[in-house]
Amino acid sequence: MAILSGGEGVRMAGARRARATVRDVAAETGLSIATVSRVLNGGANVAPHTRELVLRAVGRLGDQAPRPRTGPGADAVPGAVYVRCPYLLTDYFGLIVSSVGETIELHGRQMVLGAGEAAQGAAVLPGLPDRPGVAGAILILPPEPGEELVRLRDRGFPFVVIDPSTPAPKDVPAVSAAHFAGARGLMAHVVGLGHRRVGIIGGPVAWLSSEARLAGYTASLADAGVLPEPGLLRSVPEPTIEHGHRAAGELLDLPERPTALVAFNDKMAVGALRAAAERGLSVPGDLSVAGFDDIDVSRATSPPLTTVRQPLQEMGRMAVTLLMRLLSRHAVEALHVSLATELIVRGSTGPARR
């Protein structure tokens, strides 16, 4: 029996034989038609056991099946790119999404955007492989657990993760910033100014970036012989100005307050500046404050924030580049890309008072 992608049958040994289509292979394997098509057309990002499952089904259905298409002559997978960013598109996420969109357009493709906090609870990933006209996806800080990413990968759907919230599976392409190194460099700057009692306002505990930055902060303190003090650590459910303000207030109201505050991001550092002003503390005279990200607000405060610059736009461009390679059926060797950060010293940090 021949396996056909179209509607024509074939004659073999002078007899009209029944035909098998991609739909038949999908029914035989329990996979989607889109996944079977990717396997038969040599699509990238197909799990080995998925490819084997399809080829075994082809063997059972007939021996005239087309082989997976490979090599430089293979056509790229057509279609738009779905971009999932279930957050408000302000500052941090807005910079990433705008860069992703511009780069997708440069590659001659369209972007389908799913954004906004209301999208966090939507079950989007399971339906992506069957979504008409969508070739692949960019997932920005996906709230879904790693198991869902694995299931999406196993269905042969090409996608790249930007700033994964949990450790990305080893064979899922991901792009992020060097959170640990950036945080370590920032804390080294603060410690170098003589600060030893440093309050840390961490991000959401479930985020991989929160864990990496906290590890960087504490590593730098350890280098200076300072053991982490649990009473000087606060974690917030959302990295906002309001949560930063509240956490900073708690730290500054301690009987022995810290001489410096390091926040998970610039917005939380803005909240810390507000808490310091409410208590009559001058920055950096009485208190040093630092953030992370180097978004626009870090340059609009008084004094301007010392922070760590993340290559947000480059993260977006890199993710699209990786996805385009997958859609062109090229091998991607560097699956987990970590881009360097840069320490930006401004007026919000100064020497510790004796």
Side-chain angles (χ1 to χ4, degrees), residues 15-309:
R16 182 88 177 173
R17 301 197 54 177
R19 68 190 180 192
T21 65
V22 171
R23 187 180 300 276
D24 295 320
V25 178
E28 179 77 9
T29 59
L31 299 171
S32 69
I33 293 175
T35 298
V36 172
S37 295
R38 285 192 182 92
V39 173
L40 295 178
N41 289 312
N45 203 26
V46 176
H49 68 271
T50 301
R51 187 181 302 277
E52 182 179 357
L53 183 66
V54 171
L55 295 181
R56 283 182 178 178
V58 168
R60 290 193 299 270
L61 292 171
D63 58 2
Q64 300 295 317
R67 298 299 180 193
R69 295 163 59 185
T70 58
D75 296 331
V77 178
V81 175
Y82 183 86
V83 178
R84 174 162 166 76
C85 183
Y87 309 95
L88 294 178
L89 299 184
T90 58
D91 300 323
Y92 183 92
F93 293 110
L95 286 172
I96 295 176
V97 170
S98 63
S99 175
V100 167
E102 291 169 0
T103 311
I104 290 173
E105 186 176 3
L106 288 175
H107 284 275
R109 293 180 183 262
Q110 292 184 326
M111 178 176 73
V112 179
L113 178 61
E117 293 179 333
Q120 288 189 14
V124 174
L125 302 193
L128 282 179
D130 302 316
R131 187 159 181 162
V134 171
I138 301 288
L139 309 178
I140 303 172
L141 192 63
E144 292 83 4
E147 293 78 8
E148 287 199 38
L149 299 181
V150 170
R151 284 194 289 269
L152 184 60
R153 175 208 64 192
D154 287 349
R155 295 185 65 187
F157 183 76
F159 67 97
V160 177
V161 177
I162 296 179
D163 202 9
S165 58
T166 59
K170 63 180 181 179
D171 50 358
V172 169
V175 179
S176 63
H179 298 290
F180 175 87
R184 187 170 192 168
L186 175 62
M187 186 61 79
H189 163 71
V190 172
V191 169
L193 293 171
H195 297 278
R196 295 298 182 271
R197 190 168 176 79
V198 181
I200 298 174
I201 309 175
V205 294
W207 286 10
L208 184 63
S209 55
S210 299
E211 179 182 344
R213 292 181 196 179
L214 179 58
Y217 296 145
T218 56
S220 208
L221 287 171
D223 291 341
V226 180
L227 294 177
E229 188 174 330
L232 291 177
L233 172 64
R234 296 291 186 277
S235 295
V236 301
E238 295 180 35
T240 63
I241 292 176
E242 291 72 21
H243 285 294
H245 173 259
R246 186 179 301 113
E250 293 177 4
L251 292 170
L252 295 178
D253 288 340
L254 292 173
E256 186 181 358
R257 67 169 178 81
T259 63
L261 294 177
V262 174
F264 173 76
N265 67 4
D266 292 337
K267 289 184 177 181
M268 293 168 63
V270 169
L273 289 176
R274 182 191 301 171
E278 292 170 350
R279 288 158 178 79
L281 300 174
S282 67
V283 176
D286 299 319
L287 177 74
S288 287
V289 177
F292 205 106
D293 291 342
D294 192 35
I295 58 176
D296 287 345
V297 71
S298 67
R299 295 178 287 277
T301 58
S302 182
L305 278 173
T306 291
T307 185
V308 175
R309 177 175 296 160

